[in-house]
Amino acid sequence: MSATLIWILVALVATGLYLSWTAGRLDRLHARIDAARAALDAQLLRRASVAQELATSGVLDPAASIVLYEAAHAARQAEEEQREVAESELSQALRAVLAELAQVEAVREAPGGEEAARELAQAVRRVPMARRFHNDAVRAARALRRHRKVRWFRLAGHAPFPMAFEMDDEPPTALVDRAGV
């Protein structure tokens, strides 16, 4: 009788330790998502800021400046629910304005244009990487949260279900190909 009780106690302790470890892992994944989201937000803000600087620098023609400025401003001011759409529109505006190599070369030849083009190229390259890190963390947390043990024992607590950040982040090829970064 006492041997059975000891084995039941050992099984309960082992199950408790396993559930505790799983809850800790889930907590670390949520912390990783928060850190990745902060990094993504910083890269998106940097890209929008550099695009706004380029639009107001006088290097681009007036129509291109207006298109780029409005898209960058909308991306910076977007509410959370509209953020993905606004950032996608900024990507499309960047591709439209800097679609041709001649336009990128004109930006580079202007005073201060080389630095602006390099900074923008770095910003548009970092956004897809930051988004990929964020979405990978979301994917890992979702996979763990789908397990029965996590749902049955409510190991996720009150943490909201993680959502991926989906946007068009394709950089302008003329800018990235000649970035020299």
Side-chain angles (χ1 to χ4, degrees):
M1 180 78 165
S2 67
T4 306
L5 198 55
I6 291 174
W7 282 111
I8 290 172
L9 186 61
V10 167
L12 285 175
V13 168
T15 302
L17 287 173
Y18 178 71
L19 290 175
S20 175
W21 175 81
T22 303
R25 181 172 171 229
L26 190 57
D27 187 50
R28 287 188 301 276
L29 283 171
H30 281 114
R32 189 172 128 203
I33 289 171
D34 291 342
R37 181 58 189 246
L40 175 61
D41 287 341
Q43 292 305 322
L44 291 171
L45 181 62
R46 181 171 183 252
R47 180 181 76 151
S49 298
V50 172
Q52 263 185 324
E53 282 181 31
L54 181 62
T56 58
S57 68
V59 172
L60 301 172
D61 63 90
S65 292
I66 291 171
V67 167
L68 190 56
Y69 182 83
E70 286 180 356
H73 181 71
R76 289 182 75 176
Q77 300 298 321
E79 296 292 325
E80 191 60 35
E81 299 82 33
Q82 299 299 319
R83 184 93 186 267
E84 293 172 349
V85 173
E87 294 294 346
S88 293
E89 288 173 355
L90 177 56
S91 295
Q92 293 165 0
L94 284 166
R95 282 196 309 271
V97 169
L98 301 170
E100 299 174 9
L101 189 57
Q103 182 68 24
V104 174
E105 291 303 322
V107 168
R108 289 180 185 282
E109 291 170 1
E114 185 68 34
E115 177 66 25
R118 186 170 2 91
E119 207 173 323
L120 184 59
Q122 288 174 347
V124 299
R125 280 185 170 180
R126 288 180 179 157
V127 166
M129 287 187 288
R131 189 175 73 88
R132 195 172 312 120
F133 288 139
H134 175 267
N135 288 349
D136 286 347
V138 166
R139 195 173 305 113
R142 282 180 167 184
L144 185 58
R145 285 181 72 150
R146 277 195 289 269
H147 290 185
R148 272 185 238 144
K149 65 180 175 273
V150 173
R151 291 191 320 259
W152 288 351
F153 292 101
R154 300 176 190 244
L155 298 181
H158 297 290
F161 195 74
M163 301 300 291
F165 194 87
E166 297 300 331
M167 65 172 271
D168 173 8
D169 60 5
E170 184 70 27
T173 53
L175 179 67
V176 175
D177 288 346
R178 299 268 305 135
V181 199

